[in-house]
Amino acid sequence: MSEKSKKILIVEDDISSQQYYSFIFSEKYEIRMVSTITEAKKALEEESFGIALIDFSLPGGENGLDLIKFLRQEYPEGDPVAIALTAHVFPQNQVEALEAGAAEFLTKPIMSRVLLDIIAKYI
Amino acid sequence: MKSASEKNLFHEQEFSIHKAVLDQSTEGFSLLDPSGRYVGVNQAFCELTGYSESELLSMNIIDLVPPDRSLKLFPKLVEGNSGEQRIEILRKDGTRIYAQVKGSSIKYGDQTYILGIMSDITPQFEAEGNYMLSEKKYRTLFDSAPDPIVIHDGKTILDLNKATLSALSLTHKEQMIGQHPFALLHPDDREMARQRMQQLIKKREPLPPTEIRLVLKNNDERTVLASPIPIEFGNQLAVMVYYHDITKRKTTSDELKSSKEFAENIMETANAVVVAFNAEARVTTFNKYAEKLTGYSKAEVIGKNWFELFIPKRDMKAMPLLFSDVLKQMPESSQNENHIRLKGGEERLISWSNNVILASSGEAQGVLSVGIDITERKQAEEALKLSEEHYRSVVQDQTEYIMRYLPDGSITFVNDSFCRAFNTTPEQAVGKNITHKNLDSEVERITRKIEALSLGNPIITDEHISITPSGEKVWHLWIDRGIFDENGILKEIQAVGRDITSRKQMEESLHSSSTQLQEAQRLAKMGPYSLDITTGMWISSPVLSDIFGIDEDYVCNIEGWLNLIYPEDLDETRDYFQTCVSEKRSHFDTEYRIVRNSDNSERWVHGIGEFIFNTEGNPIKMIGMIQDITERKLADEEREKALVDARTANEVKDQFIANISHEIRTPLNSILGFSDILNMRYSDSLQKRDENIFDYINSASKRLMRTVDSILNISQLEAGTIKVYPKTIDLVSIAIFVIEELRPIAEEKGLKIHLSTAFKEAKVFADEYCIHQVLTNLIENAIKFTPEGSIEIDITQRQDQIALSVTDSGIGISEDYQERIFEPYTQESEGFTKIFQGVGLGMALTKRFADLNHVEIKLKSEGGVGTTFTLIFPPQKGTPHV
């Protein structure tokens, strides 16, 4: 088994959030930024990631929850780890995300320190 | 009585109860006014006289009296006596009948009338007469020679025998009777015969026979030996001449015998009792009719004492005296009525005609009595009298008003009750017109009523309001019966009235309540029905027929009902009905659509029914109501639609708020993220006055976020769509997290914020998010309404309950507002003048989140001193709290 990848797949369609994540991760991590599920699945086929940071609301028919379920189905060992990061902040959203297989449920807005601390837990 | 001669009084109402007696009687009943005019006759009377009813009613009694007779009984009756007599009647065809007539006077109205009861006794009379005659003849002839015999009085021939006829070559007695007895004598012998006649009358004893010549019609001359004997014949002295044809002598014994048989035959076949007694009252003759009536055979009776055998004990003294009187006084004929006892013990009333039988010596030898059974007649007579009395008492004692009036409206009779009701007297009322204002003011109505009366429609009933003399309004029911003559002309009206005020009032109240019920049914569109399950026929009601749009021609059977049902609802409704019947349910209750028969409109109905079962427990009947619920159904549908719309709108709103929240949080993610990065990188290089810029951005952004969260929360809480996930959580760490989150805001205002607790952990069972929100709101609120001082957060345990209190030193909450504080969108000061920020959702959210987790909130506040909110968590069984 190859060494665990430290690459982060970020699935986020909001441009300002993409800019924010690029800014805070660029110093420490290699990231691949996609804005659709289709692109995310393509990226997962092309390379391996340590973490997938996934927004809930995404363009196209499927949402972030579907992608988390897909990940846990296709990659049952746990790589990449799915971390939900969403502006949907209610308890039921959290329950849904954890049930789908997310390792963490994070809500927007999120401070860079908090986010980096959690990412560090997994890679 | 305007024109009584044209009217048969027997047709009047009061006689009608005895109409059967009058109609069926073989005896003639007649009613006459004192002038002798017939005012009432029955059918039997018409038959006896040979005249029609209408002829008799225009006749006088004198018209029926033969010219050679005179009225004897009638004048006595008019004087008020009653009596009986045997009379002769001249019939229409000129023949005569013998009749027994009994008469009495009766009062009718103000008038006195004579009631006559007549029976035909012609056969009896003839039998009687013949018998008497033949007895005498028989006796006489027995003593003398049996040859031609002629009876005459010296002037006319009274009778003759068959021997005479054959001797004279004649066929009928009538050819001789009435002729002069000497007409047949040879002219030379006539003077001699006249002298012998005078001699006989003088001596009153038979003369010795002498030879006389007769000249027959064929001029044949015969010499006979004539023996004259004086006899009593019909109350007169007559001569019976016995002739012996010297030329052709022959015996007449055979003739004599046949003559006797003839008489006896008549007697036997007479339709009357014929009895003869000797002077000791022993029965010597007893005819067939007597046998039939009494039940005794002739053999049982002959030789017995009449009184002992036939007379009831109560008459045993009187009757023999009467009999001896009859014998002594020897009247030509006498009449009496007495009861006889039949063999079976029953009694009959017999009207007798008694004739004394004389011996040739002239002494009374016995009595011949002819009797008619008048029991029924007597009963009818009594009944008639009784009915008259009864009628009178009925009329006068009636509580009903009785009035009679003529077609012109003039009153002829009123009873006591009428007088009482209309405050009048018979004297005042009779003769007045019915339309007189005191009696009835509605002239037109009365006129119409009188006009409407006819033979075919003799009774008219009407109800109307009358004004009593005291001014009271009363309802009267009048039954007016027209009395008509035989030509159908209205003669008089008898009106019977009654006060029906109370009945009328009841009727009106019933009518109004039934109208109200029907009106209520109509308004409720609720039509009753009743279904006979065995026949499948149902009875509709006006309201139901309206609902179904059916008329009276509609076939109201099960098929007819199913045909009305909207096709889509048919199967279900029919199955439901059949299930109810087959499972013997007691109720039927369903809603279905119908297609109205009259206009094909689609209507919703609600059918309910109760089943009625027979003794075997099978449903036989169903009664219930069908209500048109179309309007309600439409309203229901609209309400349902409105509800769906509202839910949709609510969902849209919730979704919208969720989207707003999402869309605000998303940019805040980078705003706060970047400002935080800037803060970390550049805060040291910022000038003193700018060092708080990043905190301001952070604080403002978080307030924006909390506002959006609050709106989203309340919307979800009110819609009930929020879900809670209770689990064991640590209240201490949550409190620390929230306090640290809000500390910058408190410190910004110069407020101290402090958590004080004896515990490192305080475990409660609740939803973390909810508790986080509750604490955030309470502490944020405390900060907001505390201008200076401190915020104290205490976590304590009382018995097994964990409590968290947030105490501030703020402005406090007025008592008035304390009651409303948990209502959403409220603040103590509102409008443009409001002092504090916020949308007024914080406390409402706090309360609802607390309720969702069964956390109790207590509020204690004092103006100017501060406020304490205390959260009391439910006990956590089996788990240590600390």
Side-chain angles (χ1 to χ4, degrees):
Chain A
M1 207 171 169
S2 63
E3 199 186 330
K4 191 176 169 80
S5 169
K6 290 187 184 281
K7 203 169 183 177
I8 303 170
L9 173 64
I10 301 173
V11 189
E12 173 62 73
D13 66 320
D14 175 50
I15 308 265
S16 70
S17 292
Q18 284 182 359
Q19 291 166 344
Y20 175 48
Y21 300 146
S22 300
F23 189 87
I24 60 174
F25 289 134
S26 54
E27 288 178 5
K28 283 187 179 176
Y29 302 101
E30 192 182 347
I31 62 165
R32 180 165 174 177
M33 187 74 71
V34 296
S35 54
T36 66
I37 303 270
T38 314
E39 283 170 8
K41 287 180 179 172
K42 188 169 168 252
L44 286 165
E45 280 172 21
E46 288 169 359
E47 41 188 331
S48 62
F49 298 94
I51 289 171
L53 192 65
I54 302 166
D55 184 25
F56 268 26
S57 302
L58 293 165
E62 291 179 302
N63 61 25
L65 274 177
D66 297 315
L67 184 59
I68 294 167
K69 285 174 194 161
F70 170 81
L71 273 177
R72 292 287 66 83
Q73 226 164 15
E74 299 298 314
Y75 306 90
E77 314 83 46
D79 286 331
V81 170
I83 295 174
L85 176 54
T86 174
H88 297 283
V89 297
F90 287 93
Q92 59 260 44
N93 303 128
Q94 181 179 14
V95 169
E96 281 165 2
L98 298 179
E99 279 178 356
E104 296 282 346
F105 176 77
L106 307 174
T107 58
K108 296 176 184 176
I110 190 161
M111 293 297 124
S112 56
R113 283 162 296 180
V114 176
L115 184 55
L116 288 169
D117 286 354
I118 286 167
I119 293 293
K121 276 168 69 180
Y122 294 95
I123 42 177
Chain B
M1 307 301 141
K2 213 171 126 191
S3 46
S5 62
E6 291 168 40
K7 182 173 66 174
N8 193 341
L9 286 185
F10 284 153
H11 291 174
E12 302 242 10
Q13 202 183 5
E14 53 269 36
F15 288 104
S16 65
I17 41 172
H18 292 293
K19 193 173 186 306
V21 174
L22 289 168
D23 281 352
Q24 288 165 16
S25 176
T26 55
E27 295 183 289
F29 283 78
S30 57
L31 198 63
L32 300 95
D33 70 12
S35 71
R37 200 177 273 275
Y38 285 99
V39 295
V41 293
N42 75 341
Q43 192 53 37
F45 190 83
C46 296
E47 280 163 12
L48 287 171
T49 59
Y51 287 99
S52 74
E53 183 182 301
S54 57
E55 284 172 326
L56 282 166
L57 291 175
S58 59
M59 285 167 65
N60 194 288
I61 188 169
I62 204 78
D63 300 329
L64 294 178
V65 177
D68 53 345
R69 301 284 168 176
S70 60
L71 274 175
K72 287 174 187 160
L73 183 62
F74 189 74
K76 291 183 196 163
L77 296 174
V78 173
E79 283 163 26
N81 303 316
S82 49
E84 188 162 5
Q85 195 167 7
R86 184 176 292 199
I87 58 166
E88 273 183 76
I89 299 277
L90 185 64
R91 299 184 83 245
K92 189 182 182 184
D93 61 9
T95 60
R96 296 183 182 196
I97 56 164
Y98 291 95
Q100 184 79 17
V101 170
K102 185 171 169 63
S104 59
S105 68
I106 63 166
K107 286 258 182 194
Y108 177 75
D110 300 330
Q111 289 257 35
T112 299
Y113 292 95
I114 310 303
L115 177 69
I117 305 167
M118 180 175 86
S119 41
D120 185 4
I121 54 161
T122 309
Q124 166 199 356
F125 191 79
E126 282 173 359
E128 195 180 314
N130 275 305
Y131 181 81
M132 286 177 67
L133 197 65
S134 69
E135 274 288 318
K136 288 174 187 170
K137 270 186 353 189
Y138 173 72
R139 283 200 307 274
T140 312
L141 288 172
F142 211 71
D143 297 335
S144 310
D147 267 328
I149 301 161
V150 173
I151 297 170
H152 65 84
D153 58 4
K155 288 170 186 151
T156 56
I157 294 175
L158 297 173
D159 203 356
L160 47 99
N161 67 355
K162 278 189 178 173
T164 310
L165 289 176
S166 83
L168 297 178
S169 302
L170 296 173
T171 51
H172 293 95
K173 284 183 183 180
E174 285 75 12
Q175 290 171 291
M176 288 297 295
I177 288 173
Q179 291 195 20
H180 200 281
F182 299 158
L184 286 174
L185 296 187
H186 191 280
D188 295 345
D189 291 341
R190 285 178 186 169
E191 180 55 26
M192 185 265 289
R194 199 182 53 79
Q195 285 171 6
R196 279 172 62 92
M197 181 72 197
Q198 283 172 346
Q199 191 185 350
L200 184 131
I201 288 166
K202 207 176 176 179
K203 289 188 174 175
R204 291 211 175 198
E205 54 182 65
L207 297 178
T210 182
E211 269 189 31
I212 286 183
R213 286 165 299 171
L214 299 177
V215 180
L216 304 184
K217 281 200 171 171
N218 57 5
N219 287 327
D220 211 349
E221 192 177 304
R222 287 190 176 247
T223 304
V224 296
L225 200 63
S227 313
I229 305 161
I231 57 162
E232 288 263 339
F233 189 83
N235 201 28
Q236 64 179 1
L237 185 65
V239 180
M240 180 166 73
V241 189
Y242 167 63
Y243 298 100
H244 188 71
D245 192 341
I246 300 162
T247 344
K248 196 185 173 185
R249 261 189 131 104
K250 67 186 250 186
T251 171
T252 62
S253 61
D254 289 345
E255 301 292 329
L256 191 67
K257 197 180 170 201
S258 80
S259 169
K260 188 188 177 211
E261 277 173 358
F262 170 73
E264 283 175 345
N265 189 43
I266 288 173
M267 184 193 85
E268 284 301 313
T269 55
N271 204 17
V273 181
V274 180
V275 193
F277 323 96
N278 64 14
E280 286 80 45
R282 293 193 185 279
V283 178
T284 57
T285 299
F286 198 70
N287 76 345
K288 279 208 173 70
Y289 186 90
E291 286 184 311
K292 195 176 136 197
L293 178 72
T294 63
Y296 288 108
S297 70
K298 190 172 180 175
E300 288 176 291
V301 175
I302 295 292
K304 300 273 169 58
N305 184 290
W306 170 258
F307 302 121
E308 286 170 9
L309 205 57
F310 288 100
I311 300 302
K313 276 187 179 163
R314 61 175 186 277
D315 294 338
M316 274 301 276
K317 282 185 181 170
M319 287 311 294
L321 291 174
L322 184 74
F323 180 73
S324 64
D325 279 356
V326 169
L327 282 176
K328 267 186 223 158
Q329 292 170 8
M330 280 190 283
E332 169 193 342
S333 169
S334 68
Q335 280 82 35
N336 77 294
E337 274 177 16
N338 66 274
H339 284 93
I340 61 164
R341 196 176 60 233
L342 309 185
K343 194 175 185 181
E346 192 198 337
E347 289 188 11
R348 305 293 295 180
L349 183 64
I350 310 292
S351 171
W352 297 103
S353 174
N354 308 303
N355 298 277
V356 177
I357 304 167
L358 296 174
S360 56
S361 61
E363 278 176 31
Q365 206 178 35
V367 175
L368 177 83
S369 293
V370 180
I372 306 166
D373 183 354
I374 57 163
T375 312
E376 275 79 21
R377 188 186 75 183
K378 198 78 180 176
Q379 283 167 353
E381 209 177 307
E382 297 290 326
L384 203 59
K385 276 198 165 169
L386 199 69
S387 93
E388 172 78 7
E389 283 164 22
H390 178 68
Y391 169 74
R392 208 134 286 284
S393 71
V394 162
V395 167
Q396 283 304 349
D397 298 348
Q398 270 306 331
T399 52
E400 287 167 338
Y401 323 137
I402 298 173
M403 168 176 65
R404 294 172 74 103
Y405 60 95
L406 300 177
D408 65 7
S410 54
I411 294 171
T412 55
F413 172 81
V414 293
N415 72 345
D416 294 348
S417 182
F418 181 95
C419 293
R420 280 194 296 276
F422 294 93
N423 194 26
T424 183
T425 62
E427 292 72 31
Q428 284 172 356
V430 170
K432 265 207 188 111
N433 201 284
I434 185 174
T435 56
H436 189 273
K437 64 180 165 65
N438 284 343
L439 304 173
D440 201 319
S441 52
E442 293 175 61
V443 179
E444 202 186 321
R445 188 176 53 75
I446 291 164
T447 311
R448 274 204 312 273
K449 189 155 82 174
I450 294 170
E451 281 168 359
L453 284 166
S454 68
L455 262 181
N457 183 29
I459 297 171
I460 286 186
T461 304
D462 83 316
E463 294 175 1
H464 64 268
I465 294 176
S466 295
I467 313 291
T468 63
S470 57
E472 197 184 341
K473 275 189 181 178
V474 291
W475 273 96
H476 280 156
L477 166 71
W478 283 100
I479 298 169
D480 289 41
R481 177 191 285 270
I483 296 161
F484 299 88
D485 66 11
E486 68 274 10
N487 299 317
I489 307 293
L490 180 65
K491 287 297 168 197
E492 203 174 6
I493 298 106
Q494 172 164 298
V496 178
R498 178 186 313 165
D499 186 331
I500 53 159
T501 310
S502 60
R503 193 195 79 193
K504 207 72 193 172
Q505 284 165 347
M506 201 152 74
E507 260 175 27
E508 270 170 15
S509 83
L510 265 176
H511 180 254
S512 91
S513 71
S514 101
T515 308
Q516 279 169 10
L517 176 64
Q518 225 177 38
E519 192 54 28
Q521 288 173 355
R522 191 167 295 286
L523 286 173
K525 294 186 180 173
M526 200 182 262
Y529 65 87
S530 125
L531 164 69
D532 185 332
I533 290 168
T534 50
T535 63
M537 300 303 292
W538 46 277
I539 298 163
S540 187
S541 57
V543 178
L544 181 58
S545 297
D546 238 30
I547 292 170
F548 281 168
I550 57 175
D551 54 26
E552 62 271 20
D553 296 332
Y554 195 82
V555 182
C556 294
N557 55 15
I558 301 261
E559 198 59 35
W561 170 58
L562 293 172
N563 283 341
L564 288 164
I565 297 176
Y566 189 76
E568 277 179 31
D569 295 352
L570 178 60
D571 288 347
E572 196 185 330
T573 311
R574 183 180 45 214
D575 291 351
Y576 174 67
F577 174 74
Q578 284 168 351
T579 306
C580 284
V581 172
S582 63
E583 292 183 0
K584 298 176 181 179
R585 294 189 192 171
S586 57
H587 306 289
F588 175 92
D589 188 340
T590 188
E591 294 180 356
Y592 53 95
R593 282 169 292 177
I594 56 155
V595 179
R596 242 172 141 244
N597 195 48
S598 52
D599 56 9
N600 289 327
S601 64
E602 183 189 324
R603 308 292 295 175
W604 270 101
V605 297
H606 180 197
I608 52 171
E610 293 282 324
F611 288 96
I612 293 166
F613 301 91
N614 62 10
T615 46
E616 281 90 57
N618 294 315
I620 48 166
K621 216 174 169 191
M622 175 173 150
I623 51 173
M625 293 260 193
I626 288 176
Q627 185 176 23
D628 186 325
I629 53 162
T630 310
E631 276 71 30
R632 196 193 83 195
K633 215 66 187 173
L634 289 176
D636 280 355
E637 277 171 16
E638 272 175 24
R639 193 165 54 237
E640 194 68 32
K641 190 170 169 288
L643 204 62
V644 168
D645 287 352
R647 280 204 196 107
T648 308
N650 225 31
E651 280 165 17
V652 167
K653 184 196 77 183
D654 285 352
Q655 190 56 49
F656 176 74
I657 291 166
N659 287 344
I660 294 280
S661 163
H662 184 264
E663 292 310 307
I664 287 169
R665 278 173 180 275
T666 302
L668 279 175
N669 194 30
S670 53
I671 292 170
L672 282 169
F674 282 125
S675 83
D676 188 42
I677 288 163
L678 284 175
N679 186 25
M680 287 188 291
R681 289 194 184 173
Y682 305 109
S683 60
D684 294 348
S685 58
L686 285 177
Q687 289 185 6
K688 180 82 177 165
R689 60 183 173 108
D690 297 331
E691 63 184 14
N692 290 329
I693 285 176
F694 296 112
D695 290 337
Y696 298 157
I697 293 173
N698 198 347
S699 168
S701 299
K702 283 188 174 165
R703 203 184 113 212
L704 175 63
M705 223 166 62
R706 281 197 301 278
T707 302
V708 173
D709 283 353
S710 297
I711 294 169
L712 188 53
N713 280 336
I714 200 79
S715 143
Q716 286 180 327
L717 281 168
E718 295 207 324
T721 56
I722 201 155
K723 287 176 185 166
V724 292
Y725 301 91
K727 58 183 179 188
T728 303
I729 50 172
D730 175 23
L731 197 54
V732 176
S733 60
I734 294 172
I736 291 168
F737 183 87
V738 173
I739 289 165
E740 290 316 312
E741 221 176 13
L742 296 173
R743 188 179 294 280
I745 310 170
E747 286 175 352
E748 207 172 287
K749 282 183 80 176
L751 300 174
K752 283 177 182 162
I753 184 161
H754 180 249
L755 171 67
S756 131
T757 179
F759 314 114
K760 272 190 174 172
E761 277 190 327
K763 296 277 179 64
V764 293
F765 191 75
D767 180 277
E768 189 174 2
Y769 177 84
C770 293
I771 301 309
H772 186 275
Q773 292 296 322
V774 167
L775 289 184
T776 306
N777 279 317
L778 285 178
I779 296 166
E780 198 181 17
N781 233 38
I783 296 166
K784 197 197 274 181
F785 295 103
T786 305
E788 57 182 0
S790 61
I791 316 293
E792 284 287 331
I793 293 104
D794 287 291
I795 297 174
T796 55
Q797 186 174 5
R798 291 177 204 156
Q799 285 140 12
D800 54 352
Q801 286 182 324
I802 288 175
L804 182 149
S805 62
V806 178
T807 304
D808 65 47
S809 56
I811 57 170
I813 302 163
S814 71
E815 270 185 40
D816 184 40
Y817 185 58
Q818 286 182 24
E819 291 172 12
R820 294 185 292 127
I821 191 165
F822 296 119
E823 292 172 19
Y825 313 109
T826 60
Q827 279 190 330
E828 194 164 358
S829 68
E830 288 167 349
F832 292 118
T833 60
K834 77 173 192 181
I835 311 155
F836 302 101
Q837 298 171 337
V839 287
L841 287 173
M843 292 317 294
L845 280 171
T846 301
K847 174 81 172 119
R848 280 164 178 71
F849 277 129
D851 287 348
L852 274 177
N853 290 279
H854 312 289
V855 174
E856 191 185 343
I857 301 183
K858 283 186 174 172
L859 164 60
K860 194 180 166 191
S861 183
E862 198 177 332
V865 177
T867 303
T868 300
F869 281 99
T870 305
L871 302 174
I872 299 163
F873 289 83
Q876 224 189 328
K877 285 170 190 166
T879 312
H881 311 297
V882 182

